[in-house]
Amino acid sequence: MQWALAVDLGTHGPKVALVADDGTALGGVFAPTRLILSPDGGAEQVPDDWWQAIGTASRRVAEAHPAEAAAVSVVAVTSQWSGTVPVARGEALGNAIIWLDHRGAAEIRRVIRGPIRFEGYSVGKVLRWIRLTGGAPGKSGKDPIAHILWLKTRHPDLYRAAETFLEPKDYLNLRLTGRSVATFDSIALHWITDNRDPDAVRYDGGLLRMAGIERAKLPPLIPATEIVGPLRRDAAEHLGVRAGIPVTGGSPDLHSAGIGSGAVAPFVPHLYVGTSSWISCHVPFKKTDVVRNIASLPSPIPSRYFIANEQETAGACIDHLADVLHPARDRPEAYAELNEAAAESSPGAGGIVFTPWLNGERTPVEDSSLRGGFFNVSLDTGRSELVRSVFEGVALNGRWLLGAVEHFTGRTLDSITMAGGGAQSELWCRIHADVLGRTIRRARDPILVNVRGVGLLAHAALGHIGADDIESLIPIAETYEPDGAHREVYDRAFDVFRRIHRTNRRLFARINPPA
């Protein structure tokens, strides 16, 4: 049996596991890191916090499973996507700007504008972006291109000092090997690469000029299945494994979640509910839906594309609720109590509708001004109705997203594998089945889907397994069929949910004007 050391750097910290080539995952040790939010829309983290937490989690896994750790033959990293780390001489020059940060919105508006516009974009520019990349920079300013331009405008000394800008995953690979590279899949949200051949992604000079970013500030590109380099001795000691073993390119979390849920064949869907959420599948074509903010981008699996979209805050809504209602409780205990409270309310939450847009939204509408709220609260509303409405509100937004994804694929997507921290709740799985009107299959150990995915991708890179073998290696714990008795109440709730957006979007823009 072959073993991979797999690292999953999430927004709240890394998770580390040992993943065998038969899909077995051992460990899954988590270590927390800080999230630094600022009133101007900033969201940053300290790269060395990531590194120290990864070392702590990895050594705990190695201590718990010494024989398997000694047999590790490859290291692979997956991480939060759409982040930016300025680097010089192999070290981070400052904090990482992460996917929640939208301070670069003004810089992006200057880049995308032109005399003839569609949805705020210069028609000529957006056609070039779509033709080459499959998408275009988001207007919210949350993509790495916006982060880099914000640094260039607001912190020119730091921009000049930076030798390169790396995604979080690629920064960690630098720490592991000493080599600075990006993979074909991780670089995609910079919107400066020609993605027409997913096996030969390259920078495009015209897109670089449009963005105003020098090629010299960007890393070389490699496939996700290529070996970045051997594990450095100091990094090996930090992790508790052997030096010199290969480190693969790895993938961002959206990609590894799909692989770890077994959704590797075309049109096989998965639903991930973590801090954010998405519904995705692999597709055999490059395509873009500008209106719904969906695109097919290069997959880490050679010769394939996957659908990129994101519901901005999903599990983050439950996190926020736990912080407000149970600030002194441990998270697992607080989550269990919230789950119990939600189960006490009937489907429909007594007519309460929650909108989960705590940090704006990306798909199926891109609007950073949207915010969350409880609608239809009365004197009869109790705690259980409010809590259940949060669970249901995330699922209602997921139904909206599912409609956009099915429009994109041109087919109904059923038998959806659900994974991520949110899938640990049986109640939430049932709610998603009822709200979406689709069969939900819960992956076993859903919290480990990302580490399992990137670990299996590493095994495929070394030839231990084939990419098409992965689906058979993913165990399904339970299956939930939609309950027809709840269809009417959720159809009505979804209609109200959409009307709330249509009625209030201009009001949100007035309250929360773009920077």
Side-chain angles (χ1 to χ4, degrees), residues 429-451:
C429 291
R430 292 189 184 280
I431 287 173
H432 273 89
D434 290 347
V435 171
L436 300 183
R438 300 288 187 273
T439 300
I440 294 295
R441 305 161 72 239
R442 177 165 64 166
R444 186 183 300 170
D445 300 321
I447 197 72
L448 299 181
V449 67
N450 287 2
V451 286

Side-chain angles (χ1 to χ4, degrees), residues 108 111-112 121 125-126 129-130 133 135-143 145-146 149 188-192 207 210-211 293 366:
I108 281 298
V111 169
I112 68 174
Y121 292 89
K125 290 179 179 179
V126 79
W129 270 311
I130 290 172
T133 73
K139 291 175 285 187
S140 64
K142 296 176 182 177
D143 295 336
I145 181 177
L149 292 175
L189 292 187
H190 289 65
W191 307 113
I192 50 177
L207 295 178
M210 280 168 50
N293 199 31
E366 186 186 23

